[in-house]
């Protein structure tokens, strides 16, 4: 079954919300594993894994460094070097946070790596207010590879003008300036041309735009979407009510 | 021929009021969430699962950011709208790059501040919030910082509005002050949602404060007060360099720059004729 | 004026950009009638593009500058006084009547649509046209423009000519009564230009008023019924096509009358004096007369240079996986290029698009390293040297001048990176600006110069370094008639001062005029051009 972009967004977002609310390590691990499995089934496993590792590895390192070594509230000390104390409580806290964040990050990355961006843009544009958000999303995603190519052209042009990038800092700063300025100037200039084109093509004043690209949105998926979101809302509600005065944080 | 008019009608006041209301609601949501988090329970972050605090921080700040986007985005002229993707790419590319180094800075607000200087506080706030939301497409951990990013954009716009970009030495000062406020507002997110910071360099600073016996929230706030003002001072300076390198016509196409005389040497004398 | 049949009428007293002293357009009156093609001729910097954008609703009075005058479109008359109370043009409504396709036609594209079909439909979507009607319009316009086979492709994969057609399609699909095309034939090959002529005639036949803005008297301009000449912001002449002034008058107005852009005639030989003043003083310079050959080494020596693109060519990947044999890399561009270049010598390299001319040029300064063979610059092999180091002896002018301009003024731009005392740097920069005819623009922002002058400025930045070898990649693109003459003079000045010059161009006339010798890059090797 092909998922509508908003359905997969709702599922990924709800997974992130529910695991945050539940704050249970086993559930978080299960969600991460499921998301990873789904990404491998869709053939994007490697991409999702790489993206997750890039975000989660430094984050986990920081968490274990901060809480694993310095947790004044901890009482069960395993090891101690000068001011640094490794405590059970600190390690538990770090592990709990790391798994919770992982369980929010991985499903969302599975969504971004598997969704068809044009479909997402079409689905968002069809919903009124978000037309401009969809434009910004699509334009940003289109700009990233284009900027890469432009950056390469600019570097070649500057090298041909005598730019030599050496390892020391002043040379790097100078090289950065030589490349960043032409890049930003041309981007700003291009943007002002595009602004006029968008106005002329009626984007800015569009009242009720239609969509050329048709994205299938069958009824069962719409129901599923609402159910998933409702479920997430209920879990959040339960968690918040249990934590109100008298509850346990 | 066609009977439709070739000229634009004056904007309807009702729509403007609705937008203003959304803006105020968004700002209230952010301020309220912050006040609630700070007043009610900094003590037990490191105690229990603490997920309620995380949920409140997440939802309150995110709702605020989304309200701001809804209020501002429809009002932006095309010249600002098309610049937002450029700003976002600058934020994301530089932020991602600097985040991967061992420098305790972020430099992830250059695009936001650029828009704020050219198009004003509202556009800056919307860009900051949008930047976090769209960046979370690549890195979901930045999503909770949307409100902080919006605040940076709004403050940068105000700084530009009141002429702090007219003198070169004012820009880093304005950035420093903005960084203090932004850091204080973002600290609860780092503390309650992440239980720390996302980088190893900033983490080391938090560790140092924790070693001195601070609570986690206090340690993260102090770390933010060390990193953010310097970071924003650098960002504001870089943006000042950028906007003064822009050709005159490119700068003056923004009514905000013309109206408030944001940059030195671009008076409105000719504009008013 | 025959208001009855004119669909667009403009009466510009003056138009001034914000915060600029003088007006860009003054005392100008223009009316376009249904079903006609009109050519607006003007050199770079004449105000042609400003006028086109003003008429096309892209530069709107109040937004980008102040207009004093009258615009009349489809029976509605708008008066502008040049104050803040002037009417604000609704660009979307304006575009229903007047469509504008800028010189950099990709600007028209939203770039947020995944296929050519969706890009074409973007304007219709915003008008709320039903999907069925959109599909029909897209099919119809794509058919007329010859884009039908590309409808499902991504716009990012299109060639330059196809992108221009798509941009025109995006405007034409809105069915405007007036279509303004800014330099539509620039960097298009003859076939694509002929296709545009057919399209323009087709549109005019259906009642559209077409206005072509051009600095080049080419096939498109000759298809027009009327012409106007724009000089320094005002119309200086005009009439029916049969009364187009002769070659000398057009050239004097800074126009290019060239076979290179699809028309007849040729570029004039440079009539600018190469006087002694422009010559460097010789003392601090390698002043070798061209035919003396006093140097021990040739300025550049390429021996059996072979080059193939690496695995970057992504679209070929599946194909390559299938043929496992590695003996002949499929992307070989250079198959053994030999070339010896003497100081003072000017060589032109021509060849079809995609023959590898730019690739070859990038071997001279080490931006690309040969797979086998050697490149010697002034007797030294440059293999492994950083391009920035080689650049001390080799200057390269790229196709996109904007990639290398970053300073606040033209003077600072040229002076950047020169060594010596402040006085000698300023003198060298002034001299270089002089050679390319930009001494009057030394304090302007490079980004605000017209395209032709930006290119000349980029040339000046290369010349100021006094390279022993000067490399020029398609230097005539976007140059108007004046610019071409300055270019030819700059080449002669550099060569007379002892520089070896290699220029790569698709413009055979220009090659013949500027170079001592023309070579053709064909099938990966250099062969002498047929006489």
């Amino acid at each position: 079954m092909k998922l509508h972009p908003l359905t997969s967004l709702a599922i990924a977002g709800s997974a992130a919300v529910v695991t945050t609310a539940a704050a249970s390590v086993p559930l978080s691990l299960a969600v991460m594993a499921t998301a990873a499995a789904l990404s491998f089934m869709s053939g994007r496993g490697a991409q999702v894994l790489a993206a997750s590792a890039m975000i989660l590895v430094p984050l986990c390192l920081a968490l274990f460094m901060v809480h694993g070594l310095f947790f004044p509230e901890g009482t069960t000390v395993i090891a101690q070097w000068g001011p640094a104390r490794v405590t059970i409580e600190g390690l538990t806290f770090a592990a709990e946070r790391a798994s919770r964040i992982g369980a929010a990050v991985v499903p969302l990355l599975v969504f971004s790596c598997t969704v068809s961006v044009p479909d997402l843009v079409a689905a968002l544009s069809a919903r009124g207010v978000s037309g401009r958000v969809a434009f910004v999303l699509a334009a940003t995603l289109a700009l990233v590879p284009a900027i890469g190519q432009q950056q390469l052209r600019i570097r070649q042009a500057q090298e041909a003008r005598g730019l030599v990038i050496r390892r020391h800092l002043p040379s790097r700063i100078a090289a950065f300036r030589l490349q960043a300025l032409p890049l930003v100037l041309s981007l700003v200039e291009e943007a002002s041309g595009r602004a006029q084109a968008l106005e002329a093509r009626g984007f800015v004043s569009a009242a009720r735009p239609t969509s050329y690209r048709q994205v299938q949105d069958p009824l069962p998926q719409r129901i599923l979407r609402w159910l998933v979101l409702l479920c997430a809302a209920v879990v959040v509600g339960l968690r918040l009510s249990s934590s109100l005065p008298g509850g346990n944080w | 021929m066609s009977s439709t008019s070739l000229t634009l009608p004056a904007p309807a006041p009702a729509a403007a009021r609705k937008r203003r209301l959304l803006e105020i609601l968004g700002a209230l949501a952010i301020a309220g969430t912050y006040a609630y988090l700070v007043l009610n329970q900094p003590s037990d972050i490191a105690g229990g699962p603490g997920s309620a605090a995380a949920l409140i921080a997440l939802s309150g700040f995110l709702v605020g950011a989304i309200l701001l986007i809804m209020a501002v985005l429809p009002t932006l002229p095309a010249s600002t709208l098309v610049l937002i993707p450029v700003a976002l790419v600058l934020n994301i590319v530089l932020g991602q790059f600097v985040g991967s180094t061992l420098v305790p800075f972020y430099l992830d607000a250059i695009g936001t501040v650029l828009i704020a200087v050219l198009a004003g506080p509202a556009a800056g706030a919307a860009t900051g919030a949008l930047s976090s939301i769209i960046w979370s497409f690549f890195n979901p951990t930045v999503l909770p910082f949307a409100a902080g990013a919006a605040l940076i954009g709004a403050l940068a716009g105000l700084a530009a509005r009141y002429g702090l970009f007219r003198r070169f030495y004012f820009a880093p000062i304005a950035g420093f002050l903005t960084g203090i406020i932004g850091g204080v507002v973002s600290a609860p997110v780092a503390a309650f949602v992440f239980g720390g910071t996302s980088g190893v360099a900033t983490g080391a600073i938090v560790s140092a404060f924790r070693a001195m016996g601070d609570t986690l929230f206090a340690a993260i706030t102090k770390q933010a007060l060390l990193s953010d003002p310097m970071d924003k001072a650098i960002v504001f300076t870089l943006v000042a360099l950028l906007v003064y390198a822009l050709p005159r016509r490119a700068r003056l196409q923004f009514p905000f720059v013309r109206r408030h005389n944001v940059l030195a040497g671009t008076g409105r004398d000719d504009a008013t004729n | 004026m025959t208001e009855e049949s004119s669909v667009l009428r403009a009466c510009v007293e003056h138009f001034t950009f914000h915060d600029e002293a003088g007006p860009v357009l003054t005392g100008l009156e223009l009316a376009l009638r249904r079903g006609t093609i009109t050519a607006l001729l003007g050199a770079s910097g004449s105000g042609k593009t400003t006028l086109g954008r003003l008429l096309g609703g892209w530069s709107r009075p109040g937004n980008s500058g102040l207009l004093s005058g009258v615009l009349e479109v489809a029976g509605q008359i708008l008066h502008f006084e040049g104050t803040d109370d002037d009417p604000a043009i609704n660009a979307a409504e304006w575009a229903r009547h007047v469509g504008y396709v800028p010189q950099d036609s990709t600007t028209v594209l939203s770039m947020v649509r995944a296929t050519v079909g969706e890009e074409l439909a973007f304007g219709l979507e915003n008008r709320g046209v039903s999907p069925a009607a959109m599909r029909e319009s897209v099919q119809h316009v794509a058919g007329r423009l010859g884009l039908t086979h590309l409808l499902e492709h991504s716009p990012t994969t299109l060639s330059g000519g196809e992108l221009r057609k798509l941009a025109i399609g995006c405007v034409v699909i809105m069915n405007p009564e007036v279509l303004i095309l800014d330099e539509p034939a620039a960097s298009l090959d003859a076939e694509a230009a002929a296709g545009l002529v057919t399209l323009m005639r087709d549109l005019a036949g259906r009642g559209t008023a077409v206005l072509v803005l051009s600095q080049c008297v080419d096939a498109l301009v000759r298809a027009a019924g009327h012409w106007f000449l724009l000089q320094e912001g005002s119309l200086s002449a005009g009439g029916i096509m049969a009364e187009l002034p002769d070659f000398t008058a057009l050239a004097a107005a800074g126009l290019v009358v060239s076979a290179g852009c699809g028309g007849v005639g040729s570029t004039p030989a440079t009539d600018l004096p190469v006087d002694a003043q422009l010559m460097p003083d010789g003392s601090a310079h390698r002043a070798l007369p061209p035919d003396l050959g006093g140097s021990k080494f040739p300025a550049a020596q390429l021996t059996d240079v072979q080059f193939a693109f690496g695995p970057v060519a992504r679209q070929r990947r599946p194909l390559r996986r299938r043929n496992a044999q590695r003996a002949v890399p499929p992307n070989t561009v250079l198959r053994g290029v030999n070339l010896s270049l003497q100081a003072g010598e000017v060589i032109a390299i021509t060849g079809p698009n995609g023959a590898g001319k730019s690739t070859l040029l990038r071997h001279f300064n080490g931006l690309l390293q040969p797979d086998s063979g050697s490149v010697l610059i002034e007797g030294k092999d440059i293999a492994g040297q950083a391009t920035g180091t080689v650049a001390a002896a080799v200057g390269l002018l790229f196709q996109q001048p904007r990639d290398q301009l970053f300073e606040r003024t033209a003077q600072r731009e040229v002076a950047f990176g020169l060594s010596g005392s402040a006085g000698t740097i300023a003198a060298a920069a002034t001299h270089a600006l002089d050679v390319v005819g930009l001494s009057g623009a030394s304090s302007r922002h490079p980004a605000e110069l017209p395209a032709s002058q930006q290119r000349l400025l980029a040339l000046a930045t290369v010349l100021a370094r006094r390279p022993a070898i000067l490399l020029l990649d398609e230097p005539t693109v976007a140059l108007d008639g004046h610019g071409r003459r300055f270019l030819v003079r700059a080449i002669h000045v550099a060569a007379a001062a002892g520089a070896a010059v290699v220029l790569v161009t698709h413009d055979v006339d220009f090659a013949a005029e500027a170079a001592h010798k023309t070579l053709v890059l064909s099938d990966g090797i250099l062969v002498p051009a047929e006489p």
Side-chain angles (χ1 to χ4, degrees):
Chain A
M1 178 181 65
K2 192 172 179 289
L3 281 184
H4 185 269
L6 293 183
T7 309
S8 35
L9 178 59
I11 294 175
S14 302
V17 169
V18 169
T19 48
T20 305
S24 133
V25 176
L27 177 69
S28 297
L29 293 178
V31 166
M32 265 194 274
T34 316
L38 282 175
S39 72
F40 275 101
M41 276 163 58
S42 68
R44 294 294 170 87
Q47 205 185 336
V48 171
L49 223 57
S52 311
M54 244 180 68
I55 297 161
L56 292 176
V57 167
L59 202 136
C60 291
L61 275 177
L63 275 175
F64 278 94
M65 178 177 70
V66 173
H67 304 298
L69 297 177
F70 306 94
F71 204 73
E73 295 85 353
T75 47
T76 326
V77 180
I78 305 175
Q80 185 160 16
W81 304 275
R85 303 183 315 147
V86 182
T87 63
I88 296 277
E89 288 81 1
L91 289 177
T92 317
F93 182 77
E96 190 267 322
R97 286 301 161 119
S99 67
R100 198 207 288 171
I101 296 166
V105 166
V106 179
L108 287 171
L109 282 178
V110 173
F111 163 74
S112 7
C113 291
T114 53
V115 74
S116 147
V117 175
D119 282 352
L120 176 64
V121 168
L124 286 175
S125 315
R127 278 166 178 73
V129 201
S130 36
R132 288 181 165 212
V133 178
F135 168 81
V136 173
L137 172 70
T140 308
L141 294 181
L143 215 51
V144 172
I147 281 186
Q149 286 169 15
Q150 204 169 350
Q151 178 64 31
L152 184 71
R153 281 213 323 267
I154 291 175
R155 205 186 66 219
Q156 292 196 343
Q158 299 297 30
E159 281 181 350
R161 260 185 95 175
L163 168 69
V164 185
I165 306 174
R166 297 201 177 79
R167 291 203 65 85
H168 58 91
L169 193 65
S171 158
R172 284 183 172 228
I173 291 176
F176 179 76
R177 170 172 175 252
L178 286 184
Q179 296 177 62
L181 270 182
L183 181 67
V184 176
L185 293 190
S186 64
L187 285 175
V188 170
E189 201 164 323
E190 238 170 70
S192 77
R194 186 142 296 137
Q196 282 139 355
L198 285 178
E199 288 194 53
R201 297 181 75 188
F203 177 71
V204 182
S205 50
R208 298 201 141 271
T210 46
S211 181
Y212 181 78
R213 175 183 279 261
Q214 299 297 319
V215 184
Q216 295 301 321
D217 191 9
L219 183 67
Q221 283 203 30
R222 271 179 277 168
I223 297 175
L224 174 67
R225 220 147 61 208
W226 283 113
L227 281 179
V228 167
L229 291 177
L230 189 71
C231 170
V234 168
V235 174
V236 170
L238 284 177
R239 165 54 70 179
L240 289 183
S241 65
S242 75
S243 72
L244 283 175
N248 179 25
W249 280 80
Chain B
M1 255 335 288
S2 159
S3 58
T4 45
S5 169
L6 289 172
T7 54
L8 289 169
R17 269 202 304 277
K18 193 181 133 205
R19 301 262 147 77
R20 175 61 61 181
L21 185 68
L22 284 176
E23 261 173 54
I24 293 171
L25 282 178
L28 280 180
I30 293 170
T33 309
Y34 178 74
Y36 179 81
L37 289 172
V38 173
L39 295 178
N40 270 338
Q41 65 88 47
S43 55
D44 65 339
I45 317 166
S51 69
L55 283 175
I56 290 173
L58 262 176
S59 50
F61 281 156
L62 207 56
V63 165
I66 290 173
L67 285 174
L68 280 179
I69 294 175
M70 282 167 58
V72 176
L73 202 59
T75 64
L76 294 181
S79 57
T80 309
L81 189 64
V82 289
L83 213 50
I84 291 181
V86 173
L88 261 51
V89 170
L90 289 180
N91 285 351
I92 294 171
V93 170
L94 269 173
Q96 202 85 279
F97 169 72
V98 174
S100 69
T101 63
L102 285 179
V103 190
F105 297 128
Y106 326 104
L107 300 192
D108 57 357
I110 289 199
T112 307
V113 175
L114 180 68
I115 299 250
V117 171
L118 293 175
T127 307
L130 259 181
S131 172
S132 297
I133 289 175
I134 287 182
W135 190 354
S136 67
F137 198 79
F138 305 97
N139 180 355
T141 60
V142 301
L143 187 62
F145 294 100
L151 187 65
I152 300 289
L155 291 174
L158 287 175
R161 162 84 175 73
Y162 291 105
L164 292 178
F165 279 82
R166 259 176 251 153
R167 293 277 174 278
F168 209 80
Y169 42 86
F170 280 148
I173 299 173
F176 196 86
L177 297 176
T178 304
I180 293 177
I181 304 173
V184 165
V185 170
S186 298
V189 173
F192 300 133
V193 179
F194 294 105
T197 60
S198 51
V200 176
T202 43
I205 301 177
V206 174
S207 300
F209 286 117
R210 288 286 273 164
M212 293 177 222
D214 278 333
T215 64
L216 184 58
F217 184 50
I220 289 175
T221 308
K222 287 180 181 170
Q223 176 271 323
L225 285 177
L226 275 184
S227 296
D228 285 37
M230 268 317 283
D231 175 61
K232 296 301 174 293
I234 296 172
V235 167
F236 275 47
T237 311
L238 289 177
V239 169
L241 287 173
L242 267 179
V243 288
Y244 279 105
L246 284 179
R248 246 155 138 62
R249 265 179 224 173
R251 294 186 322 222
L252 289 176
Q253 68 175 329
F254 295 95
F256 177 74
V257 175
R258 293 205 301 272
R259 200 176 317 125
H260 298 293
N261 204 0
V262 167
L263 304 169
T266 49
R268 67 173 311 220
D269 349 348
D270 303 79
T272 47
N273 198 29
Chain C
M1 281 302 121
T2 52
E3 278 80 6
E4 191 121 325
S5 54
S6 69
V7 58
L8 172 74
R9 196 171 67 86
C11 176
V12 179
E13 273 166 45
H14 46 81
F15 178 78
T16 315
F17 281 111
H18 285 306
D19 211 28
E20 278 181 24
V24 193
L25 303 170
T26 41
L28 180 153
E29 222 171 326
L30 190 76
L32 301 178
R33 288 184 305 167
R34 281 174 208 292
T36 59
I37 303 177
T38 309
L40 185 74
L41 302 169
S44 185
S46 60
K48 191 166 40 73
T49 294
T50 308
L51 179 62
R53 293 165 70 98
L54 185 67
L55 297 179
W58 276 43
S59 286
R60 298 196 303 285
N63 252 12
S64 37
L66 293 171
L67 169 71
S68 171
V70 180
L71 296 177
E72 180 184 338
V73 170
Q76 291 192 50
I77 303 178
L78 303 179
H79 290 274
F80 297 89
E81 311 283 341
T83 65
D84 288 348
D85 306 325
D86 278 346
I89 287 178
N90 180 342
E93 283 304 321
W94 195 268
R96 292 183 182 225
H97 303 287
V98 188
Y100 174 68
V101 183
Q103 187 170 359
D104 177 9
S105 50
T106 53
T107 313
V108 169
L109 309 183
S110 75
M111 285 307 194
V112 296
R113 289 296 183 258
T115 65
V116 168
E118 287 173 61
E119 187 65 64
L120 280 173
F122 183 74
L124 301 177
E125 288 181 332
N126 293 326
R127 275 203 208 165
V129 175
S130 75
M134 272 197 278
R135 255 157 238 291
E136 196 182 319
S137 298
V138 166
Q139 285 297 338
H140 177 69
V141 168
R144 272 162 72 193
L145 286 161
L147 289 171
T148 309
H149 62 294
L150 296 169
L151 279 179
E152 295 303 316
H153 289 230
S154 161
T156 53
T157 60
L158 300 191
S159 73
E162 290 164 343
L163 275 175
R164 182 138 330 165
K165 279 194 207 165
L166 174 57
I168 294 175
C170 288
V171 174
V172 165
I173 204 168
M174 310 297 273
N175 226 350
E177 293 129 56
V178 181
L179 178 66
I180 302 174
L181 303 170
D182 195 350
E183 298 288 353
S187 65
L188 285 195
D189 57 32
E191 197 187 336
L196 273 187
V197 172
T198 316
L199 177 71
M200 273 168 29
R201 291 214 166 103
D202 173 47
L203 286 168
R206 290 158 194 260
T208 310
V210 181
L211 178 65
V212 179
L213 314 179
S214 182
Q215 61 188 12
C216 186
V217 182
D218 54 16
L220 273 89
V221 167
R222 288 176 197 283
H226 288 80
W227 61 275
F228 290 100
L229 182 62
L230 189 67
Q231 282 182 301
E232 293 176 3
S234 337
L235 295 180
S236 60
I240 58 169
M241 196 39 74
E243 293 167 359
L244 196 67
D246 67 356
F247 177 83
T248 336
L250 292 173
L255 301 176
V256 182
V257 190
S258 164
C261 36
V264 286
S266 79
T267 15
T270 184
D271 48 0
L272 294 166
V274 182
D275 50 19
Q277 252 190 330
L278 286 171
M279 288 302 162
D281 48 36
S283 56
H285 207 263
R286 353 174 140 80
L288 272 186
D291 46 1
L292 207 72
S295 173
K296 262 192 289 179
F297 310 107
Q301 172 99 47
L302 271 64
T303 315
D304 198 28
V305 167
Q306 298 198 18
F307 180 78
F309 275 110
V312 264
R314 286 206 190 95
Q315 63 269 43
R316 298 271 162 80
R317 197 177 278 163
L319 205 132
R320 270 211 321 219
R321 268 190 203 140
R322 257 174 265 134
N323 355 339
Q325 63 199 55
R326 293 266 172 97
V328 184
N331 318 329
T332 301
V333 186
L334 306 177
R335 296 175 189 272
V337 170
N338 291 296
L339 180 66
S340 178
L341 192 64
Q342 301 301 324
E345 192 176 17
V346 182
I347 288 186
I349 297 174
T350 64
N353 278 351
K357 302 190 294 285
S358 298
T359 306
L360 173 59
L361 214 53
R362 281 164 168 71
H363 278 81
F364 282 90
N365 65 352
L367 274 177
L368 292 175
Q369 300 275 349
D371 295 336
S372 67
S374 66
V375 179
L376 273 62
I377 298 297
E378 298 189 302
K380 269 183 285 182
D381 196 328
I382 60 162
Q385 277 193 50
T387 300
T389 317
V390 182
V394 184
L396 170 55
L397 176 67
F398 282 85
Q399 287 194 37
Q400 297 283 340
R402 290 307 316 278
D403 288 348
Q404 52 191 108
L405 305 179
F406 56 91
E407 279 283 7
R408 288 200 298 278
T409 67
Q411 173 86 20
R412 290 173 65 112
E413 188 71 61
V414 179
F416 179 83
L418 299 181
S419 52
S421 72
T424 51
I425 288 178
T430 310
H431 176 261
L433 284 173
D434 238 17
V435 170
V436 299
L438 283 180
S439 32
S442 63
S443 59
R444 291 191 60 189
H445 196 295
E448 284 179 351
L449 294 174
S452 182
Q453 296 188 7
Q454 277 184 6
R455 194 152 257 271
L456 292 171
L457 175 60
L459 175 63
T461 66
V462 177
L463 291 176
R465 304 174 65 86
R466 295 192 177 167
I469 299 163
L470 178 61
L471 310 170
L472 309 170
D473 196 351
E474 296 287 359
T476 56
V477 169
L479 285 189
D480 63 2
H482 296 312
R484 277 168 90 105
R485 288 199 289 279
F486 281 116
L487 170 68
V488 172
R489 180 175 75 170
I491 291 172
H492 289 167
V493 169
V501 182
V502 183
L503 54 97
V504 151
T505 180
H506 69 275
D507 186 336
V508 187
D509 291 343
F510 173 74
E513 176 196 344
H516 298 132
K517 184 162 82 178
T518 301
L519 300 171
V520 180
L521 183 63
S522 158
D523 203 20
I525 54 167
L526 282 176
V527 292
E530 287 154 29

